[in-house]
Amino acid sequence: MSSPTERGSPPRPEQRRRHVPGPPFGSPRSSGELRASLTSIRDTFSNRHHSLDFAYSHAHYLRNRVLAVGVIFLLLTPLWALVDAMMLPRELWGTTLIGRGLLLAGLLGVLLLARASREHIGRIRLSAGFLLALPAAFYALVLILLPNGDASRLAGYAFIPFLLVAALSVFPFTILESLAAGLALLWLLAFAQMVDGSWLTPAGFEGLWLLTSLLVVSLAANHFQLSLLMRVYRQATHDPLTGLLNRGALSLHLEKLQAWRREEQSSGSLPPCAVLMMDIDHFKKINDTHGHSVGDLILAEFARVLLAQTRNDDCVARYGGEEFVILLLNTPGDRAAEVAERIRRAVEAHHFPDHNHLRVPVTASIGVASLQGDEAPEQALERADAALYGAKEAGRNRVMRADSPTPSALA
């Protein structure tokens, strides 16, 4: 019996992240891991356990924050130049104007990068990093270019590290990302104190303590903000009973799949993909015999069987009631039929317990359809549904292909 990883090997995600995300949908397993504790430190500490789906939602949210804060920084920069002109000596104007001009150009670049990075996670993260790094670099540049002893004459510059640490709480960064940025800003404050002579003085210690306290508050805000974002994302895209993607999320994934295949086709290749639609046989009878609570247990257990028999890059969704859909990437029709047959056997052999831990016999009927040419995945889904109906008409507990000249049953 082949393992889930022995089927078609999809291209690596970084190879497909052009305009359309690749793989076109994320991992149900990663989402399942989040279900155990949406507000845990592990899930907000880094993005290691985040599914690709959530990564794109997270990046879209981050992009909106970058655009909003970037516009604010862009508007404040020329106003700040007026403050410099009123408060700084004339001999310092040239130094600050050079830094101010570079900062303004950099902020414009960040806004253009963020605006053009709708589907590019890496670029959105890069633009967020630049948005915070540019004011810090501007401050460091001014400190380096200023003549000795003139740092104390700068008006309103010392608050830049504090402003940027406070700004960390506005963005849905992971704790690890904010901590790295916060440590860099602590170093910037220490450098500024060495330049102005307050390093290792009571005033200097007070500044470092204040910045550290603000960093702790920002880290807490990142944790709560990202936890809330995860919870909202999961409620909107996942079935609460099984933890699988819901029908609305499946529709979005079908659109992503079509766009991804069109892009791959334009580059000279059309990856084979397949749709499996399955139904738990005689589920109404199970509910009538054992009760709806046992039926819910079976649905949740059935979902776990499906996850165990598929890859991380495959999409597993609850279509409605006792119907489920699996989208198989880079999988030709023959291999998809083998996968469906393996799932059918796994369901038939699995121990589905009732409340007394007694086995409830469960079988499944499965319809298989391969995407033909550049057809829409929705059309393949309709053909898989028709094949599923044929499998049930033929006696249930079997796999039926819709893409063969004469639909065949595998049992």
Side-chain angles (χ1 to χ4, degrees):
M1 180 180 292
S2 61
S3 66
T5 56
E6 291 174 347
R7 307 200 304 278
S9 56
R12 296 179 180 273
E14 59 269 19
Q15 294 175 336
R16 297 194 299 267
R17 285 178 188 171
R18 296 195 286 266
H19 176 68
V20 178
F25 31 78
S27 163
R29 289 159 194 77
S30 299
S31 304
E33 292 172 3
L34 295 179
R35 178 176 59 179
S37 179
L38 289 171
T39 57
S40 68
I41 293 293
R42 186 204 68 178
D43 293 330
T44 58
F45 184 77
S46 73
N47 58 14
R48 178 181 178 182
H49 297 285
H50 297 173
S51 70
L52 271 179
D53 269 342
F54 177 73
Y56 279 99
S57 298
H58 182 198
H60 180 74
Y61 188 79
L62 179 61
R63 174 180 175 272
N64 291 336
R65 294 299 176 94
V66 169
L67 291 174
V69 176
V71 169
I72 293 174
F73 282 4
L74 191 67
L75 294 176
L76 289 178
T77 298
L79 295 177
W80 199 353
L82 295 177
V83 175
D84 285 346
M86 292 186 294
M87 303 190 66
L88 291 181
R90 186 177 297 273
E91 59 269 21
L92 298 182
W93 286 2
T95 301
T96 56
L97 282 177
I98 291 175
R100 193 76 65 190
L102 293 175
L103 175 60
L104 193 63
L107 290 174
L108 283 172
V110 166
L111 289 175
L112 292 175
L113 178 63
R115 185 176 178 81
S117 302
R118 293 182 180 275
E119 297 290 348
H120 297 273
I121 300 175
R123 294 182 187 178
I124 294 174
R125 293 183 181 278
L126 186 64
S127 64
F130 277 141
L131 182 62
L132 297 175
L134 284 172
F138 161 69
Y139 186 31
L141 178 65
V142 171
L143 290 173
I144 292 172
L145 295 179
L146 283 177
N148 292 334
D150 286 337
S152 59
R153 302 170 69 180
L154 291 175
Y157 281 69
F159 87 103
I160 291 179
F162 300 92
L163 172 65
L164 296 179
V165 167
L168 289 175
S169 62
V170 176
F171 297 98
F173 290 139
T174 63
I175 292 176
L176 190 61
E177 291 168 339
S178 287
L179 183 60
L183 292 176
L185 293 172
L186 282 170
W187 176 89
L188 177 62
L189 179 60
F191 174 68
Q193 290 180 354
M194 286 186 283
V195 172
D196 65 20
S198 62
W199 176 247
L200 298 182
T201 65
F205 282 122
E206 181 181 2
L208 290 172
W209 171 250
L210 177 59
L211 189 63
T212 302
S213 301
L214 286 176
L215 178 58
V216 172
V217 173
S218 293
L219 293 178
N222 291 147
H223 168 69
F224 293 122
Q225 185 174 187
L226 195 51
S227 295
L228 179 61
L229 190 61
M230 288 178 180
R231 184 178 292 110
V232 171
Y233 162 79
R234 182 164 188 83
Q235 290 174 349
T237 60
H238 288 70
D239 172 55
L241 177 61
T242 62
L244 301 179
L245 295 173
N246 59 27
R247 189 165 180 172
L250 175 64
S251 298
L252 295 176
H253 283 52
L254 291 172
E255 295 176 5
K256 290 181 182 179
L257 178 59
Q258 183 176 14
W260 172 64
R261 294 184 80 244
R262 285 178 176 174
E263 180 179 331
E264 294 297 316
Q265 185 179 27
S266 64
S267 63
S269 64
L270 186 62
C273 299
V275 178
L276 308 184
M277 177 168 275
M278 61 203 65
D279 185 287
I280 299 177
D281 296 329
H282 301 295
F283 187 70
K284 183 178 184 301
K285 182 178 179 181
I286 294 175
N287 276 334
D288 293 340
T289 303
H290 301 277
H292 288 275
S293 59
V294 172
D296 289 346
L297 291 176
I298 289 176
L299 288 172
E301 195 66 24
F302 187 83
R304 282 189 281 270
V305 173
L306 298 184
L307 293 178
Q309 296 297 325
T310 51
R311 301 164 299 186
N312 286 346
D313 288 337
D314 298 328
C315 171
V316 185
R318 185 182 180 190
Y319 195 68
E322 66 274 18
E323 290 186 324
F324 296 81
V325 171
I326 299 178
L327 306 182
L328 300 176
L329 297 181
N330 295 286
T331 306
D334 292 341
R335 191 61 62 87
E338 294 174 6
V339 174
E341 176 62 14
R342 190 178 66 241
I343 292 174
R344 186 196 67 79
R345 292 177 180 175
V347 171
E348 187 178 27
H350 190 76
H351 180 83
F352 290 88
D354 62 9
H355 291 309
N356 296 319
H357 302 288
L358 298 177
R359 186 174 185 274
V360 178
V362 175
T363 60
S365 300
I366 306 176
V368 182
S370 296
L371 273 70
Q372 299 176 350
D374 60 351
E375 76 166 333
E378 290 84 356
Q379 294 176 331
L381 184 62
E382 292 177 2
R383 292 190 292 109
D385 188 27
L388 169 61
Y389 181 80
K392 295 170 70 173
E393 286 291 307
R396 292 184 170 83
N397 190 24
R398 63 190 61 226
V399 174
M400 184 164 286
R401 292 183 59 176
D403 52 346
S404 58
T406 301
S408 59
L410 304 177

